[in-house]
Amino acid sequence: MRKSNTDTLWTGDFVEMCIAHFLIFSALFMVLPWLPVAMKEQMSLPLTEGVWLYVAFLVGMLGVGPFHAYLSDAYRRKHVFLFSAALTAVAGAGYLFVANPLQAYLLALFQGACFSLTLVSDLTVDIDITHSSCRTSGNLVYAWVGRMGVMAGAWLGAWLYLLFNFQAVVLGAMVLAFVGLFFGSQIYLPFRAPNGEPLFTIDRFFLPRAWLPAIGVVGLSAAAGSLLPLLLGGDRCPLIGLGLLAVGVIPLIGLFVRLSHHCQRGTANATCYLAIESGMLLGLIYSYLHPDTVVIHLHALIGAVVSLLFLLFVAYPYYRHHRLR
């Protein structure tokens, strides 16, 4: 492993973490959008009941949040990232072997918790390996890379599903995830002595000052997420929605960071990311409960416009009044 003393953003460690970030997000979203369809084929679970997989994933993702700071403090952050990312990938493969809905829901709960740990430890590692003068730029690039990973993963997952089957999707996702883990394992992260974080805290999980912008981000992401299942029907609008979200995340990350104190950069990033993923899951739930394609398109457009107006005329004035940087 190497140690870099440069204050340039594009160090070898940063590039490798970007690759890992891209591939891990791609792997998750190769599988996640099609779970209700796959479970319907696998165990005759109705689509309207399959959406509980997303509810379970969301509960796991948010439920483990208050433990983020303790785990990242008590254990080496790189190891937390690699271990939780590996478990997220393995849990994705587990969908091929579930025999009943309860097993599927528990697996989704577990995967959501593992992904949440992956996400926050991933962000922490990225911040730690980036020189302090480059961290804001690094946050913006990293967020964009992750959104592009979602878009690439969703497209590739839909293509494999239509061409082969769900098993091929899961195997492809496993390959991407473990290639991402390889790149993540190559970075150098100096050891840091524990700070004695409490077991239960919202640090590294939720930034209270950013609650209002987070609402707008959830709505905007839900609009994009609701379109994802349409990829299986050959619709390309979901890719447009994900592409626009990838562009929009750049100023949004900057907004969240400037609402935080210096020591809260990781918490600010995590809040924005978790708001995006929560919105994506809510959008997927809506889409599978309302399978009319025309209605989904219309409601996604309305939701995106309303969310943008909310961000511009409600969240932005709030941000200008409450920003700290």
Side-chain angles (χ1 to χ4, degrees):
M1 294 184 290
R2 60 187 175 276
K3 182 175 181 179
S4 175
N5 294 313
T6 181
D7 60 356
T8 301
L9 173 62
W10 297 101
T11 63
D13 285 338
F14 182 77
V15 171
E16 285 174 339
M17 278 303 294
C18 281
I19 295 172
H21 191 60
F22 176 89
L23 292 174
I24 288 169
F25 266 84
S26 294
L28 178 69
F29 278 88
M30 277 183 69
V31 176
L32 200 62
W34 335 118
L35 283 181
V37 178
M39 293 302 102
K40 181 180 179 181
E41 295 176 353
Q42 191 166 314
M43 63 180 73
S44 300
L45 185 67
L47 290 178
T48 51
E49 292 185 25
V51 298
W52 286 102
L53 292 164
Y54 297 132
V55 175
F57 191 101
L58 183 60
V59 170
M61 186 177 75
L62 299 180
V64 77
F67 301 99
H68 285 317
Y70 171 77
L71 291 171
S72 294
D73 183 60
Y75 304 98
R76 295 190 67 133
R77 295 167 182 181
K78 177 180 171 181
H79 294 169
V80 174
F81 162 61
L82 294 173
F83 186 65
S84 56
L87 287 179
T88 302
V90 171
Y95 291 114
L96 294 175
F97 305 101
V98 292
N100 58 64
L102 179 59
Q103 290 179 1
Y105 299 147
L106 290 175
L107 185 61
L109 180 73
F110 175 74
Q111 189 183 34
C114 292
F115 175 67
S116 185
L117 289 173
T118 302
L119 178 62
V120 175
S121 57
D122 178 357
L123 291 170
T124 303
V125 170
D126 173 62
I127 291 170
D128 285 348
I129 64 172
T130 305
H131 191 274
S132 58
S133 64
C134 303
R135 282 178 178 164
T136 297
S137 299
N139 292 156
L140 303 183
V141 170
Y142 211 59
W144 180 80
V145 166
R147 290 303 103 199
M148 295 304 292
V150 171
M151 183 165 65
W155 175 82
L156 183 58
W159 179 74
L160 286 174
Y161 206 137
L162 292 172
L163 192 62
F164 300 105
N165 50 34
F166 185 62
Q167 183 178 8
V169 175
V170 171
L171 292 176
M174 288 283 287
V175 170
L176 291 188
F178 282 97
V179 172
L181 284 169
F182 168 77
F183 279 100
S185 70
Q186 302 304 299
I187 64 108
Y188 172 79
L189 190 64
F191 172 77
R192 291 193 176 186
N195 297 320
E197 294 284 351
L199 178 63
F200 191 90
T201 175
I202 62 171
D203 187 31
R204 310 274 178 85
F205 168 54
F206 181 70
L207 183 68
R209 184 178 287 269
W211 71 272
L212 194 63
I215 294 174
V217 171
V218 168
L220 196 63
S221 304
S226 67
L227 295 171
L228 281 180
L230 304 183
L231 279 171
L232 289 183
D235 196 323
R236 293 295 178 262
C237 286
L239 298 179
I240 297 174
L242 292 175
L244 292 174
L245 187 60
V247 174
V249 77
I250 297 174
L252 288 172
I253 285 290
L255 182 150
F256 276 75
V257 168
R258 286 188 289 272
L259 283 170
S260 68
H261 292 283
H262 176 73
C263 61
Q264 295 177 309
R265 177 180 292 274
T267 308
N269 275 269
T271 302
C272 187
Y273 274 69
L274 290 169
I276 293 173
E277 308 316 328
S278 297
M280 297 286 284
L281 290 164
L282 293 174
L284 285 165
I285 291 170
Y286 174 83
S287 187
Y288 280 111
L289 290 176
H290 302 82
D292 187 298
T293 302
V294 175
V295 172
I296 291 172
H297 277 109
L298 177 61
H299 287 184
L301 179 61
I302 293 172
V305 171
V306 170
S307 298
L308 282 172
L309 292 175
F310 178 87
L311 286 168
L312 287 172
F313 296 108
V314 179
Y316 186 68
Y318 170 89
Y319 153 78
R320 286 177 61 86
H321 183 69
H322 291 86
R323 63 177 295 180
L324 297 173
R325 308 191 199 194

